[in-house]
Structures are given as structure tokens and as C-alpha cells.
Amino acid sequence: MKGVHIKMIINGVNDMNRNLSVNVAGVDTQDISSARLKAMKRSGQVECETCANREYKDGSDEVNVSFKSAAHIDPSAAATKVMAHEQEHVSNANRKAASKDGEVLNATVTLKTAVCPECGRSYVSGGVTNTAIKYPATSYGQNQKSADYPEFAGKNVDYAG
């Protein structure tokens, strides 16, 4: 593979970091051992194509959240962006509960991680949000329980013998 993309971080005025990308043409990566090339990718000296092309897409049925169409996230910002996306699902659950006099009993956000097979860096690969909402009992539900009682009464009896 000819031409290696090298990323450098340069400290500027007031300690602001600016990322400058330099495309180094003519560098033959065949002269570099695979272990050394992987180390260079892991440290960011050589761009990892897998990380550069990784895209995230929401798989839920909620229409008002981000990432409904696939989009790239910089690996260094993936944890923050995925957590913010999952918080959108939590906000939707709170909104849904409030609109029906319900209460969010529990909301859990889990970030998933993986290891890039090309460079070996760990990255946030996605997230999952689980919510439990309790709604007030309705008279229909109470009446249904009363109507079903004669059918189920005594069906689960333990006899001591």
C-alpha cells in the first residue's frame, strides 16, 4: 500500500490543540512490519481505515432520535455522542410516561465496547437503553381481574401431605 496518512496534533497558542493531517506520499508500508504498522495505527501515527469508515445507526422505532441514517463519529468522541443519543431515548420515555400519567421506574443506559480488528484500539460500538414505566391502574384492568378471579381461584394450591 503506497501513501500513508499521518495525523499529528500540534499545540498552539493558549494550549488549544489543532489536528493537522498530513498525507505522506511515497511511504511504502510494505517495509514496515505488521506489528509496527498496527502499533502506529493504535497510536494514531497512521490512520486506521476501519476506524475512519466506521458508521453508527439507530435501530429503534423512535423517529425523533439522532442517527436514523448511518453517520460517522470520530472514535475519540464516540462515547460522548453515543451516550447523548441514548439519553434521547430516556427523554422520550419520560415524555411518554408524563403524557399518560405514568412514572419512569427505571432507565438504564449501557454503552457497548469492542476492539478494532485492524488497529487494536477499543472503541464504543453502540449503546442500549432499557426503561420501565408504570402506568396508573385503570378501572378496565381492575374489572378484568375481578372477572377472571373465579376461573383462576384455587388452581395453584399446594397440598401439605
Side-chain angles (χ1 to χ4, degrees), residues 55-68:
E55 292 186 332
Y56 294 78
K57 184 175 183 196
D58 179 65
S60 72
D61 59 356
E62 293 181 299
V63 296
N64 63 340
V65 293
S66 57
F67 298 106
K68 290 315 280 181

Side-chain angles (χ1 to χ4, degrees), residues 126-142:
V128 176
T129 299
N130 291 308
T131 56
I133 301 173
K134 179 182 177 184
Y135 294 101
T138 63
S139 59
Y140 173 79
Q142 293 301 324

Side-chain angles (χ1 to χ4, degrees), residues 74-137:
D74 183 80
S76 63
T80 305
K81 298 251 183 169
V82 171
M83 180 58 85
H85 168 81
E86 295 303 324
Q87 288 299 322
E88 292 174 15
H89 291 294
V90 173
S91 295
N92 286 343
N94 284 318
R95 196 172 311 118
K96 180 180 174 185
S99 71
K100 298 179 182 175
D101 286 337
E103 174 188 7
V104 175
L105 299 176
N106 186 19
T108 305
V109 173
T110 305
L111 294 183
K112 306 285 184 176
T113 59
V115 176
C116 177
E118 184 179 347
C119 67
R121 279 188 258 185
S122 61
Y123 65 95
V124 174
S125 58
V128 176
T129 299
N130 291 308
T131 56
I133 301 173
K134 179 182 177 184
Y135 294 101

Side-chain angles (χ1 to χ4, degrees), residues 145 148-159:
K145 287 180 186 178
D148 289 342
Y149 179 77
E151 183 180 342
F152 294 109
K155 288 202 173 186
N156 295 319
V157 177
D158 291 332
Y159 295 101

Side-chain angles (χ1 to χ4, degrees), residues 7-73:
K7 181 178 176 185
M8 298 185 302
I9 298 177
I10 299 176
N11 288 329
V13 181
N14 298 330
D15 283 341
M16 290 175 29
N17 289 333
R18 291 182 297 163
N19 290 327
L20 297 179
S21 296
V22 180
N23 199 9
V24 179
V27 175
D28 191 0
T29 58
Q30 292 175 351
D31 294 340
I32 301 172
S33 71
S34 62
R36 176 72 181 131
L37 185 58
K38 190 170 187 172
M40 290 173 74
K41 287 179 181 180
R42 182 176 296 161
S43 68
Q45 294 173 320
V46 175
E47 182 179 41
C48 170
E49 285 186 46
T50 304
C51 291
N53 295 326
R54 183 173 298 115
E55 292 186 332
Y56 294 78
K57 184 175 183 196
D58 179 65
S60 72
D61 59 356
E62 293 181 299
V63 296
N64 63 340
V65 293
S66 57
F67 298 106
K68 290 315 280 181
S69 58
H72 174 73
I73 302 174

